[in-house]
Amino acid sequence: MLRSIVHGTLMMALALAVGCDPGSDSQEGGSSTSDGGSEAPALDEDELTDRIAAYAEDLTRANAMSRPSAHGLAATVNVHVTPIDLAAYLGLDPAQVATGSPEFSPAVLLVKEHLDADGAVSGLTAMAPDAASPNGWWWARLGADLRIVESGQVGYCVSCHSEVQTQGWVYGVAADNRN
Ligand code: HEC
C-alpha cells in the first residue's frame, strides 16, 4: 500500500523530471459523425498491445548498440521498428532534424525498449499512427509486464517529441549507431 503510493509519487516526479507538462490535452475530440462518412478506422488498443508485446519477434532492431536513454525512464534503450519501415526510420537523423515526414507504412509501429542496469527489460514506449490525433500518432507507455500504463495523447511524450515534429515527430537513430 505504502509502496504503491511511493511508486505513484515517483512516477509523477519522473514525469516532471523529464521536463514536460503532462495533461494539457487540448479538447478537440469527438470527430463529428454527422455524415457517417467512412473516416479512418478507429484505433484498436487491444490489437496494438498484442502487436507491441510481440515486438521482439515481429519488429527489427534499428540501433546497433543499446544507448543511454533520453527518456530518463531506463538505463539504456533499443528501438524496434516494423521491418517494412526500417529504411524510412533509418533515414532520420536526430542530430540533423529534417523537414518532411518519413514515408512510413500505414501499419508502422515504433517500440522503444527500456533496459535496466542489468540489461533486463523494464518497460516500453510505443508510437503507432492515429488518424484522429493532432500529431498523427498514438503514444503509449507499457510496464515490464508489457501492459499499457498510459496511452493516447500522453502530454509529456508529445511535448518532448514536438522537438522533431518537422520530421514526423520521430527522432531516429544516430548515424554511427544504425543496425
Ligand atoms: C525527455 C524527452 C522525451 C520524452 C518525455 C519522451 N521521449 Fe520518446 N524519445 C526521445 C528521444 C530523444 C528519442 C530518440 C532515441 C533516444 O535517444 O533515446 C525518443 C525515441 C522514442 C521512440 C523511438 C522512435 C523515435 O522517435 O526515434 C519512441 C517509440 C518513443 N520515443 C516514444 C515515446 C513515448 C510513447 C513517450 C511518452 C510515454 C516518450 N517517447 C517520451 C525523447 C523523449
Side-chain angles (χ1 to χ4, degrees):
M1 157 74 133
L2 185 68
R3 265 196 116 157
S4 66
I5 294 171
V6 170
H7 182 73
T9 315
L10 201 85
M11 289 315 298
M12 279 180 68
L14 252 177
L16 293 174
V18 284
C20 304
D21 169 27
S24 56
D25 15 333
S26 52
Q27 292 277 27
E28 295 281 287
S31 54
S32 101
T33 48
S34 48
D35 284 337
S38 54
E39 291 174 12
L43 194 118
D44 183 340
E45 281 214 356
D46 289 340
E47 191 212 328
L48 271 172
T49 307
D50 289 346
R51 287 183 63 209
I52 294 167
Y55 76 95
E57 299 88 54
D58 293 352
L59 306 186
T60 304
R61 188 167 129 173
N63 58 300
M65 304 287 293
S66 302
R67 59 188 191 275
S69 167
H71 284 167
L73 296 167
T76 57
V77 297
N78 295 309
V79 178
H80 299 252
V81 184
T82 28
I84 194 175
D85 297 296
L86 182 66
Y89 182 67
L90 291 182
L92 298 169
D93 188 342
Q96 266 188 331
V97 178
T99 43
S101 299
E103 301 229 343
F104 288 134
S105 76
V108 62
L109 181 61
L110 303 168
V111 173
K112 186 159 162 177
E113 177 186 49
H114 296 171
L115 305 174
D116 65 20
D118 298 324
V121 176
S122 57
L124 307 172
T125 57
M127 294 166 64
D130 180 359
S133 156
N135 52 63
W137 294 100
W138 169 87
W139 308 77
R141 183 167 65 83
L142 295 85
D145 57 0
L146 307 190
R147 288 176 180 275
I148 292 181
V149 179
E150 52 189 337
S151 64
Q153 296 306 300
V154 183
Y156 67 93
C157 313
V158 174
S159 148
C160 236
H161 279 246
S162 66
E163 202 181 15
V164 286
Q165 60 180 284
T166 59
Q167 61 175 25
W169 300 79
V170 181
Y171 283 92
V173 176
D176 60 358
N177 195 27
R178 293 180 184 151
N179 202 359

